[in-house]
Amino acid sequence: MKQPTTPSILVIYTGGTIGMIENPETGALENFDLAHFRRLVPELNRFNYDIDAITFDPPIDSSDMEPKYWIKLTRIISDHYADYDGFVVLHGTDTMAYTASALSFMLENLGKAVIITGSQLPIGQLRTDGKENLLTSIEIAAARDEYGLPMVPEVCIFFENRLMRGNRTTKINAEGFNAFRSYNLPPLARAGIHIKYESHLIRRPDSNKPFRPHFLMDNRVIILTLFPGIRREYIEALFHIADLRALILKTYGSGNAPQKPWLIERLKALRAKGVILVNITQCSQGAVEMRRYGTGLQLLQAGVVNGYDSTPESMVTKLMFLLGHNMPYEEIIRLMNTSIAGEITV
Ligand code: ASP
């Protein structure tokens, strides 16, 4: 029997650099195994927590991440929800921000921490960043506030020294250890000598409602980055995608697009076909404000929906989530204008 006071953490290894372990005989990189991890990171034993692990079989490089794996993660977390105090997901860095965003929508009214982390160097290598990332993530997943409730009942990414809301993060560095940023929301905590939590930023579940996992995603979504000189044929090609359901436009600055009559006309035609059009900015920081310039207003008039300060990762996964639930257009638009998991500043 587990002692009620001993925090219990489930570590889920999906794949990625952090869990790749060099076989001393062959030199090849092999995948995660908790017993081996405990030998490489003996500090794990000092936690006095019950730590169990589940490994994806086979583990995947996160470049191969797909909605079916988000469903699998949601299934693992919901099946074990009552048994653990918190969850740590080990994941490749490349698509970590997409997974964090997707899970933030799929794990509705989450009451426990789901901390996603990884590393730039495998955990067995000298100078690895994986050790600190893993240990601090476990500590955060187990942390409780003064009322004994989970300190961060959210899907987060912890990397280097920042704890960030998952659906606000983006990978910004292919090499450095400080590889993730949340440009439109300050970190929820910073790890130094102490872990300093920004309690006022942390979302809490509605205590009158249960935790509710969701398993439906619809990936008929496309993202188009505007650039000077964009050709009409590229927009035209979208009409050949028979079942396209949503187009995310990555526009300039505060949500602006070239003032080409054909562009606006084609967007209106897509809208008339039932495609949801959403405007997010190419800038890393700041929000879309379509009424600010005529170049943005024309999009609003063509039926384009405001994406506010959403990251691309969050917008893609939010649309997959909303479309997956077969809601009427008006309801999708209402939820697009609502922060459902702290993903936008409305
Ligand atoms: N390609 C790897 C992945 O995302 C890189 C990493 O683990 O950081 O799975």
Side-chain angles (χ1 to χ4, degrees):
M1 274 293 280
K2 275 174 186 156
Q3 295 300 312
T5 50
T6 306
S8 55
I9 302 296
L10 181 62
V11 176
I12 307 165
Y13 176 62
T14 63
T17 302
I18 188 168
M20 312 229 75
I21 293 165
E22 204 177 87
N23 181 319
E25 277 148 36
T26 63
L29 287 176
E30 290 170 358
N31 269 301
F32 177 87
D33 137 29
L34 187 63
H36 200 156
F37 245 51
R38 283 190 185 278
R39 283 195 293 280
L40 289 171
V41 190
E43 294 88 339
L44 276 174
N45 301 317
R46 293 174 52 192
F47 265 139
N48 198 23
Y49 299 162
D50 286 332
I51 302 174
D52 294 328
I54 289 181
T55 301
F56 270 28
D57 184 18
I60 57 159
D61 185 292
S62 82
S63 304
D64 291 322
M65 189 44 72
E66 295 268 354
K68 69 176 181 192
Y69 295 119
W70 298 332
I71 294 167
K72 181 171 170 167
L73 274 170
T74 301
R75 176 71 60 203
I76 293 173
I77 293 169
S78 57
D79 283 355
H80 295 87
Y81 193 72
D83 306 331
Y84 291 93
D85 295 311
F87 299 84
V88 172
V89 178
L90 304 181
H91 195 289
T93 54
D94 291 345
T95 60
M96 190 184 284
Y98 288 91
T99 296
S101 300
L103 291 184
S104 77
F105 302 119
M106 297 167 84
L107 302 172
E108 186 185 337
N109 209 37
L110 184 67
K112 299 184 178 187
V114 175
I115 311 298
I116 308 181
T117 196
S119 66
Q120 299 281 55
L121 280 177
I123 210 146
Q125 283 195 10
L126 219 59
R127 294 200 313 107
T128 181
D129 51 330
K131 229 177 185 181
E132 298 305 323
N133 287 349
L134 173 69
L135 293 170
T136 312
S137 294
I138 291 176
E139 188 167 337
I140 292 171
R144 305 212 147 241
D145 64 14
E146 70 259 44
Y147 307 106
L149 298 170
M151 189 68 127
V152 194
E154 288 208 37
V155 178
C156 297
I157 285 184
F158 179 79
F159 221 86
E160 180 72 0
N161 54 4
R162 293 180 174 88
L163 180 74
M164 295 157 281
R165 177 170 300 149
N167 56 34
R168 294 290 195 151
T169 56
T170 300
K171 182 175 179 182
I172 51 112
N173 198 322
E175 198 184 295
F177 287 159
N178 224 328
F180 286 85
R181 284 292 183 285
S182 159
Y183 285 114
N184 286 323
L185 187 79
L188 304 184
R190 281 180 194 271
I193 293 177
H194 303 287
I195 301 176
K196 289 201 177 132
Y197 293 93
E198 301 295 337
S199 299
H200 64 289
L201 295 176
I202 297 172
R203 285 168 62 85
R204 313 258 161 224
D206 180 341
S207 56
N208 296 313
K209 291 187 184 157
F211 161 62
R212 191 163 166 227
H214 295 270
F215 303 96
L216 299 170
M217 298 294 267
D218 182 339
N219 65 356
R220 288 175 291 174
V221 174
I222 203 164
I223 188 156
L224 178 77
T225 303
L226 298 183
F227 56 91
I230 190 164
R231 293 164 60 110
R232 183 178 178 147
E233 293 91 308
Y234 302 163
I235 309 289
E236 222 55 76
L238 297 172
F239 286 84
H240 299 296
I241 309 172
D243 58 356
L244 181 65
R245 296 198 64 197
L247 165 67
I248 301 166
L249 289 168
K250 273 182 94 178
T251 58
Y252 307 131
S254 57
N256 307 310
Q259 301 181 80
K260 293 183 190 296
W262 64 259
L263 176 64
I264 298 304
E265 187 277 315
R266 291 287 76 192
L267 290 177
K268 282 185 180 160
L270 280 170
R271 181 72 283 285
K273 273 185 71 187
V275 178
I276 294 168
L277 309 173
V278 187
N279 188 351
I280 61 170
T281 173
Q282 291 176 23
C283 298
S284 305
Q285 194 159 5
V288 162
E289 275 181 71
M290 284 189 279
R291 292 182 191 280
R292 194 143 163 210
Y293 299 98
T295 46
L297 190 61
Q298 55 168 359
L299 294 178
L300 191 65
Q301 288 162 348
V304 179
V305 179
N306 193 341
Y308 300 90
D309 56 353
S310 176
T311 62
E313 294 89 336
S314 174
M315 188 50 77
V316 167
T317 54
K318 181 173 179 176
L319 280 164
M320 286 186 188
F321 171 77
L322 296 179
L323 294 170
H325 287 78
N326 248 333
M327 299 168 187
Y329 177 76
E330 293 70 31
E331 180 60 1
I332 293 184
I333 298 310
R334 188 186 72 76
L335 292 171
M336 291 298 290
N337 284 291
T338 308
S339 166
I340 56 178
E343 73 281 7
I344 48 173
T345 316
V346 179

